[in-house]
Amino acid sequence: MYNLKTARLMTGNDAAAYAVKQSDVDFISAYPITPQTIIVERLSEYVASGELHAEFVATESEHSALSACVGASLAGARAFTSTSSQGLALMHEILYVASGLRCPIVMAIVNRALSAPLNIHGDHSDVMGSRDAGWIQIFAENPQEVYHYLIQSFRLAEHPDVLLPVGVNLDGFTVSHSSEPVEVLEDSVVKEYLPRNERPRLDYYSPATFGAFALPTHYFEFKVEQDKTLRKAGEVLDEVAAHYPSPEGRLRKIDKFNEDGRIAVIIMGGTTGTLRYAIKSLRFRDFSLISLKLFSPFPSRELVEAVSDADAVVVMDRSMSPGAPLHPLASNVATSLYEAGVSVNLISVVYGLGGREPTIKMVLEMFEKVREIARGGGKRLSRLFLGYQGDGL
Amino acid sequence: MLFELLMLGRGGQGVVTAGRIFAEAALKSGLFSQSFPEFGPERSGAPVRSYVRISDEPVMLRAPIENFDVAVVFERKLLDHRLVEMIRSGGLIVVGSETPVEFARSDIKWFYVDARKIVEELNRPRSINLAMLGALCSVLHLVPLNNVEEIVRRRFGEGNAEVVRRAASRVVEVEAAA
């Protein structure tokens, strides 16, 4: 629980920059894009004022920003970058290089819709377009979680059994620009939590090759090994979180709320708070909420355990997979349930595209509609679009 | 308790800063708070909104604010019927105005403060937002005036703290028409 005497009012972006400063990064490279810009703006100020001893490289594009981070990371630096939307799309090629070369880079992804039509507001289309890039993907609900999760991400990324890049996602504007109480740790406590480990790196006196060409004889094995490592990172995460000095800030793969509710709602990111409020204060106690903090590697076992007894399972996606049988999160949930041999009444809900943040009224309408579907029973798949104003559905 | 507030002014008048200071002052007085701007591209001189939520428990809600308990309107010209309708019954409105504002709804309290005159007297032409904050604290009794004054003093100096104090002493309640 917060200590209001020591908490400071910070936006999600402020909290991100502060966490990165305390994490004592060596290298930052970025290109500004709304709604992420403030993170690197603050970091450039920290570097300019001498509060943070890091190399700050302003590049001409996001593609170059992440490329520079890959180089710095291979040289042994603790590297950070941050982007949104089109910026992440432009990084696409290098996202795979960063994970394939096992660079423990940390990136704050301030989620924003993709063009066209052009839109600067929040949704998860950007990160879902990169979901197979082999990064660890974490989702924060509020500025406080942004702070805690970024610090833990450096330790997770740099763990000798992981050495993979980590994306920490926060919803554009509704989290990135919302000022809320944030409790921070002492600089020395963060420093102690993030020791610098030796890892394979470019070294003039001990030459090694990174980014070698892999022919059909080897490429396949590289990729399967990478997948195994990413899956194992889920176990390492528990260990990394267990050592985090703030017990309430520890990163859990899933966070359950009102567990006795018979209808389970699975969601990621800022809108979770609105659902928490609706369940707690507006008497929707028949709903339980599962806030997914870790999207990749996907915590299938924990999720199945949490929802297998539910009368209905609602999965809320803030992005779409056009033409696909299901949207990204719902698809992962459905596959996890299938693998566990669990059959449920599944309701896929798409919400919030292009920043259409659910209002209380929208949430209540959704809850009523879901109750109706749950009462109908059966093990089927229903699809809803929350707040969609067109017709033909 | 969940309390919601709207600040409405123009781009460049410090609407977002005012919301943030109020939220910070609430936090310092032991309340949970959240402040956010109306998201989107902003232009100097165009109407700008910012919102504040204050509660005695952590503010989880992240939905857009569609109704509010208090509206702080920096200029009378920005006041419109639709906005007044969005104020909850029992709430209040503070308007920056030279003269008493019209009494359009009797289930809310109406206040006005000549913010422009105060900032001119104190030669702080850019501190309209701080005058509105002073007036707000004086009539709302949720966040102590001292807390706002202290934050303003630390961030913007004693001269601006005086803007807050003077506005707090000059805000006037509009009496219901007989």
Side-chain angles (χ1 to χ4, degrees):
Chain A
M1 192 44 79
Y2 289 93
N3 177 352
L4 293 178
K5 290 268 180 294
T6 54
R8 334 167 163 202
L9 200 72
M10 285 180 157
T11 64
N13 282 348
D14 291 338
Y18 199 81
V20 171
K21 181 187 82 150
Q22 287 189 309
S23 299
D24 194 26
V25 297
D26 305 308
F27 186 88
I28 302 156
S29 182
Y31 185 82
I33 184 168
T34 300
Q36 163 280 143
T37 306
I38 297 160
I39 297 178
V40 286
E41 214 171 83
R42 296 265 184 280
L43 284 168
S44 71
E45 286 164 8
Y46 290 141
V47 172
S49 68
E51 276 179 88
L52 172 62
H53 299 286
E55 192 75 34
F56 189 102
V57 179
T59 49
E60 84 295 348
S61 79
E62 289 87 352
H63 187 282
S64 302
L66 187 56
S67 299
C69 284
V70 166
S73 183
L74 290 177
R78 182 172 285 169
F80 174 82
T81 187
S82 175
T83 195
S84 295
S85 181
Q86 309 305 123
L88 187 65
L90 189 55
M91 284 179 178
H92 192 69
E93 176 178 72
I94 311 303
L95 292 172
Y96 289 73
V97 177
S99 60
L101 292 181
R102 309 287 297 274
C103 296
I105 296 164
V106 172
M107 169 156 61
I109 306 173
V110 185
N111 302 121
R112 163 184 152 180
L114 286 171
S115 189
L118 184 61
N119 179 297
I120 60 164
H121 296 275
D123 76 26
H124 298 159
S125 308
D126 52 3
V127 68
M128 289 305 156
S130 306
R131 70 179 158 150
D132 294 335
W135 285 51
I136 295 166
Q137 293 292 353
I138 291 164
F139 281 79
E141 274 183 46
N142 52 44
Q144 179 71 75
E145 288 186 359
V146 170
Y147 172 82
H148 288 314
Y149 296 173
L150 268 167
I151 294 172
Q152 290 169 81
S153 291
F154 283 103
R155 179 144 162 172
L156 177 61
E158 292 172 9
H159 192 284
D161 295 337
V162 177
L163 296 180
L164 284 172
V166 181
V168 174
N169 293 266
L170 55 149
D171 285 355
F173 291 110
T174 48
V175 177
S176 70
H177 285 57
S178 181
S179 301
E180 293 171 30
V182 174
E183 278 203 89
V184 301
L185 298 165
E186 293 290 333
D187 288 356
S188 59
V189 172
V190 177
K191 195 164 182 172
E192 201 183 322
Y193 177 70
L194 295 176
R196 288 173 194 273
N197 310 323
E198 277 299 315
R199 64 173 196 259
R201 63 180 178 93
L202 292 169
D203 180 357
Y204 184 81
Y205 296 102
S206 167
T209 298
F210 293 86
F213 192 64
L215 289 166
T217 50
H218 289 86
Y219 183 88
F220 202 151
E221 284 68 29
F222 268 106
K223 296 323 277 186
V224 174
E225 284 305 315
Q226 199 184 320
D227 177 59
K228 282 188 202 162
T229 306
L230 180 58
R231 285 171 195 276
K232 207 178 153 203
E235 292 159 36
V236 178
L237 181 144
D238 293 334
E239 180 197 323
V240 162
H243 288 95
Y244 188 62
S246 162
E248 60 273 26
R250 287 174 189 160
L251 175 52
R252 285 169 296 171
K253 293 168 190 159
I254 65 173
D255 176 65
K256 293 181 270 186
F257 180 69
N258 195 37
E259 284 178 60
D260 299 334
R262 298 296 308 153
I263 301 172
V265 182
I266 303 171
I267 186 171
M268 308 189 292
T271 308
T272 312
T274 304
L275 300 187
R276 284 182 199 278
Y277 175 82
I279 290 170
K280 183 168 183 247
S281 305
L282 305 174
R283 298 166 198 277
F284 282 85
R285 307 294 298 193
D286 48 334
F287 285 81
S288 69
L289 189 64
I290 291 143
S291 177
L292 193 65
K293 310 293 187 182
L294 181 67
F295 179 77
S296 171
F298 198 74
S300 297
R301 188 174 51 80
E302 290 84 351
L303 257 184
V304 170
E305 260 175 40
V307 305
S308 53
D309 287 339
D311 293 343
V313 177
V314 182
V315 187
M316 296 185 67
D317 269 283
R318 198 167 190 162
S319 65
M320 289 182 75
S321 287
L326 263 180
H327 307 297
L329 180 54
S331 170
N332 280 9
V333 171
T335 309
S336 304
L337 291 167
Y338 179 82
E339 191 176 16
V342 178
S343 184
V344 299
N345 196 352
L346 191 68
I347 301 154
S348 155
V349 178
V350 172
Y351 75 101
L353 297 188
R356 187 169 296 169
E357 189 64 32
T359 60
I360 290 287
K361 187 165 167 265
M362 279 157 67
V363 169
L364 301 189
E365 276 171 15
M366 178 187 82
F367 279 177
E368 294 294 353
K369 179 82 186 157
V370 163
R371 270 179 181 165
E372 198 184 305
I373 295 171
R375 270 198 299 272
K379 315 279 190 198
R380 59 206 166 95
L381 173 66
S382 317
R383 299 166 195 275
L384 301 176
F385 288 78
L386 179 59
Y388 172 72
Q389 288 167 6
D391 34 55
L393 286 173
Chain B
M1 179 270 280
L2 177 68
F3 174 91
E4 294 174 311
L5 177 145
L6 164 80
M7 300 247 179
L8 171 64
R10 294 189 186 275
Q13 284 183 326
V15 179
V16 178
T17 304
R20 241 189 115 137
I21 293 173
F22 195 64
E24 207 176 317
L27 181 62
K28 294 296 166 211
S29 66
L31 292 163
F32 290 92
S33 60
Q34 175 195 59
S35 167
F36 56 95
E38 184 169 62
F39 310 124
E42 275 136 28
R43 286 168 295 134
S44 183
V48 167
R49 291 167 175 231
S50 78
Y51 301 92
V52 183
R53 283 192 174 107
I54 293 174
S55 178
D56 48 10
E57 49 188 339
V59 179
M60 301 180 277
L61 190 54
R62 213 167 281 286
I65 293 184
E66 296 172 299
N67 294 100
F68 23 85
D69 303 284
V70 170
V72 181
V73 181
F74 287 28
E75 278 179 24
R76 188 181 188 143
K77 268 191 190 166
L78 293 169
L79 194 60
D80 72 53
H81 174 72
R82 224 170 65 87
L83 183 133
V84 172
E85 286 305 311
M86 290 163 89
I87 303 171
R88 293 195 180 99
S89 187
L92 64 88
I93 182 166
V94 188
V95 184
S97 172
E98 281 173 60
T99 52
V101 283
E102 285 142 50
F103 207 86
R105 258 179 77 183
S106 56
D107 61 334
I108 57 173
K109 287 187 169 183
W110 289 73
F111 298 90
Y112 74 100
V113 63
D114 194 349
R116 187 161 298 281
K117 188 169 175 210
I118 292 165
V119 299
E120 274 166 18
E121 283 168 8
L122 295 169
N123 197 25
R124 303 272 167 185
R126 293 173 64 192
S127 301
I128 289 273
N129 57 342
L130 304 181
M132 295 310 295
L133 268 179
L136 170 68
C137 285
S138 158
V139 301
L140 181 62
H141 311 297
L142 180 69
V143 172
L145 181 67
N146 279 349
N147 288 16
V148 170
E149 216 186 300
E150 196 187 306
I151 294 167
V152 169
R153 183 179 300 112
R154 195 171 29 141
R155 204 167 301 165
F156 305 112
E158 180 54 39
N160 280 310
E162 175 60 22
V163 172
V164 174
R165 274 196 302 275
R166 194 168 292 190
S169 68
R170 294 259 189 95
V171 59
V172 181
E173 181 164 3
V174 184
E175 297 299 327

